[in-house]
Amino acid sequence: MTSFSGKTAWPTGTECVAKYNFQGTMEQDLPFSKGDVLTIIGVTKDPNWYKAKNTLGREGTIPANYVQKREGVKSGGKLSLMPWFHGKITRDQAERLLYPPETGLFLVRESTNYPGDYTLCVSCEGKVEHYRIIYHNGKLSIDEEEYFENLMQLVEHYTKDADGLCTRLIKPKLMEGTVAAQDEFSRSGWALNMKELKLIQTIGKGEFGDVILGDYRGTKVAVKCIKHDATAQAFIAEASVMTQLRHNNLVQLLGVIVEDRGSLFIVTEFMAKGSLVDYLRSRGRTVLGGECLLKFSLDVCEAMEYLEVNNFVHRDLAARNVLVSEDNIAKVSDFGLTKEASSTQDTAKLPVKWTSPEALREKLCFYCFLPSDIPSPTLLLEIYYQQGLPLKEVVPRVEKGYKMDAPDGCPAVVYDLMKQCWTLDPAVRPSFRMLREKLQHIRAKELYL
């Protein structure tokens, strides 16, 4: 490897983000603007320059010190939108944390005298002042004159103006072991500029927020907008997982925006044809044809094999969580339940109808090629068939060996794969690699006809 400035050169395929504008001075240079995403395609004779291409495919040379390498965010649960929030600590503990005195040093804790409320603790001129934060009509206030939607908005307000407090909030006292999410996304090259994002129209509504069609620097994007600070905190884990994953059959994260006022925006590539489940239901198996259905199955399988190889478990694989691009590529999305396979898993919230029997029975978490709204234990069947079964009947029937009949017109070789995925013994159940290889064989030999 060549190097520049004492650092190892980035390998081919490395993504980087422009830190500054670069107009270029030579014909072979690749001009770019601050915030542009570039991909390294080679080194040059000069170790201070790379060969790179932009998102439009244009290639040229770029100065190494004008770009920042994009890295996966691996702080996981340590990332916090509110690193100054210390939870259930006492008044004395807060005062010890804010020692030695430093005017403007602050933290927020849960109130011990008024359960359910919060307390803002601020160091000022050698002592600590404690301000009760009360709830009123669903909003937060200190003086009952200024009201805020959440803690992040409240803290942001008082960092700009003391507004009746003993001092303006100057420096947060971070909870031990936490990392400020905005700082970490910026450091790793995933923070986007809100001023360059145009929100166009809502294209989906969910329990935790809206999905909005947007435009980021001239490119159509999908924006998951989470406005409540506690909910946004939960989605930080999803965003951090997405920074570590890159595959053509996974919906690609473009970046993250953390607003001071408590909103989190997760910006991804726009998938023009929506969810796979809606795509299938609106067109029907006969309209799409066997080759298209098989390709969707293979697309999903390749994505899951990639996760499997990289020790990630999706835990919520379903046709509703697979999106279809303009050019009919199926991509797995919604990584809210995705965790590294080695981590401790909470099975209490596992989706029953598409979780393996042993995971439900023994409270173990196994990845499974499983669906959402139907009782089939494979996404393959969800692609080929739509049918319902009462939730209480799902687990006992599957444990007793129940297997749904093959959908009308489903190729026998595909149905055989479905039945293999239903095997109760996880050691015998095919891996995603095996499924991918078998699907490729079926496709190559046109056995789906």
Side-chain angles (χ1 to χ4, degrees):
M1 277 284 188
T2 57
S3 63
F4 66 93
S5 304
K7 296 183 179 180
T8 302
W10 299 332
T12 299
T14 297
E15 275 193 352
C16 53
V17 181
K19 297 189 294 183
Y20 317 102
N21 295 331
F22 175 65
Q23 298 300 322
T25 57
M26 306 291 286
E27 184 178 350
Q28 68 267 27
D29 290 344
L30 176 63
F32 52 77
S33 301
K34 180 180 178 181
D36 282 356
V37 176
L38 306 163
T39 303
I40 303 301
I41 59 175
V43 295
T44 68
K45 293 181 180 179
D46 185 341
N48 295 305
W49 291 76
Y50 281 113
K51 291 179 182 178
K53 66 178 179 180
N54 60 23
T55 53
L56 298 176
R58 183 179 173 185
E59 300 180 0
T61 56
I62 63 171
N65 60 345
Y66 272 53
V67 294
Q68 170 190 2
K69 182 180 179 182
R70 254 189 171 179
E71 300 175 322
V73 176
K74 296 185 179 180
S75 295
K78 295 181 181 179
L79 290 182
S80 178
L81 291 171
M82 304 181 294
W84 33 259
F85 181 65
H86 289 246
K88 293 181 180 179
I89 61 171
T90 64
R91 181 188 184 98
D92 289 343
Q93 288 175 317
E95 293 185 354
R96 286 197 294 271
L97 287 170
L98 296 175
Y99 185 87
E102 181 180 347
T103 296
L105 184 65
F106 73 95
L107 62 82
V108 177
R109 60 182 173 87
E110 293 185 31
S111 174
T112 50
N113 293 330
Y114 302 94
D117 288 346
Y118 301 103
T119 302
L120 172 64
C121 309
V122 189
S123 180
C124 182
E125 298 181 355
K127 62 178 182 179
V128 176
E129 299 289 348
H130 299 263
Y131 297 92
R132 180 186 173 191
I133 302 172
I134 62 170
Y135 269 105
H136 182 74
N137 293 330
K139 294 190 176 183
L140 300 173
S141 180
I142 288 178
D143 56 13
E144 298 189 63
E145 293 181 3
E146 196 82 31
Y147 289 89
F148 307 93
E149 297 289 339
N150 53 52
L151 288 174
M152 291 178 68
Q153 285 186 17
L154 182 147
V155 167
E156 189 265 344
H157 173 79
Y158 288 107
T159 57
K160 295 178 178 178
D161 188 345
D163 196 17
L165 301 186
C166 61
T167 178
R168 178 174 67 86
L169 305 182
I170 299 173
K171 180 181 177 181
K173 176 64 179 180
L174 304 186
M175 184 175 179
E176 185 177 357
T178 62
V179 179
Q182 176 65 14
D183 293 345
E184 184 62 16
F185 284 114
S186 296
R187 182 202 64 77
S188 55
W190 291 95
L192 301 183
N193 187 344
M194 186 66 193
K195 294 179 181 178
E196 297 186 277
L197 176 64
K198 180 182 178 182
L199 300 177
I200 300 173
Q201 66 180 49
T202 300
I203 55 177
K205 287 185 174 292
E207 180 182 354
F208 302 111
D210 297 339
V211 179
I212 302 171
L213 171 64
D215 181 287
Y216 189 76
R217 308 180 69 179
T219 300
K220 273 188 177 182
V221 296
V223 185
K224 185 179 291 185
C225 177
I226 302 98
K227 294 184 178 180
H228 190 279
D229 50 3
T231 305
Q233 176 61 48
F235 275 84
I236 283 292
E238 174 177 345
S240 65
V241 166
M242 294 182 75
T243 67
Q244 302 173 52
L245 304 173
R246 189 158 192 85
H247 188 277
N248 190 50
N249 295 115
L250 295 176
V251 173
Q252 180 59 42
L253 176 72
L254 301 180
V256 175
I257 299 171
V258 180
E259 273 199 326
D260 290 338
R261 295 184 63 80
S263 294
L264 171 69
F265 299 88
I266 299 177
V267 184
T268 67
E269 63 178 315
F270 175 64
M271 303 294 284
K273 296 185 178 179
S275 75
L276 179 58
V277 69
D278 290 338
Y279 191 78
L280 294 172
R281 287 172 177 169
S282 64
R283 288 158 181 80
R285 179 170 48 81
T286 56
V287 173
L288 293 173
E291 182 177 9
C292 183
L293 296 179
L294 190 72
K295 181 185 177 298
F296 285 151
S297 302
L298 188 55
D299 285 346
V300 174
C301 198
E302 288 185 350
M304 298 306 292
E305 180 187 2
Y306 170 83
L307 294 178
E308 181 180 71
V309 168
N310 287 279
N311 297 318
F312 282 93
V313 179
H314 191 285
R315 298 179 69 203
D316 196 15
L317 178 62
R320 60 182 167 76
N321 287 336
V322 177
L323 303 180
V324 183
S325 69
E326 181 66 41
D327 50 356
N328 273 14
I329 297 175
K331 302 190 181 192
V332 176
S333 69
D334 281 350
F335 300 94
L337 288 176
T338 308
K339 295 185 178 181
E340 292 185 57
S342 59
S343 65
T344 301
Q345 313 265 347
D346 175 13
T347 59
K349 297 181 180 180
L350 286 177
V352 172
K353 283 193 177 182
W354 61 106
T355 300
S356 60
E358 71 277 4
L360 295 169
R361 184 176 58 248
E362 302 173 20
K363 295 194 180 298
L364 300 172
C365 183
F366 290 87
Y367 64 82
C368 281
F369 205 18
L370 309 175
S372 61
D373 302 321
I374 58 173
S376 156
T378 72
L379 187 67
L380 284 172
L381 190 50
E382 190 173 8
I383 290 174
Y384 282 88
Y385 201 36
Q386 298 289 332
Q387 182 178 331
L389 191 69
L391 183 64
K392 63 181 180 180
E393 296 182 28
V394 173
V395 177
R397 291 187 69 172
V398 170
E399 286 183 333
K400 291 178 181 178
Y402 168 74
K403 295 178 175 62
M404 291 177 64
D405 295 334
D408 292 339
C410 177
V413 287
V414 175
Y415 183 57
D416 285 342
L417 276 184
M418 295 180 192
K419 290 190 290 185
Q420 290 176 41
C421 294
W422 276 333
T423 304
L424 292 180
D425 184 353
V428 180
R429 198 177 300 143
S431 67
F432 287 110
R433 178 180 178 180
M434 293 171 62
L435 286 173
R436 189 257 304 162
E437 290 173 346
K438 291 180 179 181
L439 287 170
Q440 286 178 332
H441 175 75
I442 291 171
R443 189 182 189 189
K445 300 295 184 180
E446 296 187 342
L447 301 176
Y448 55 86
L449 297 176

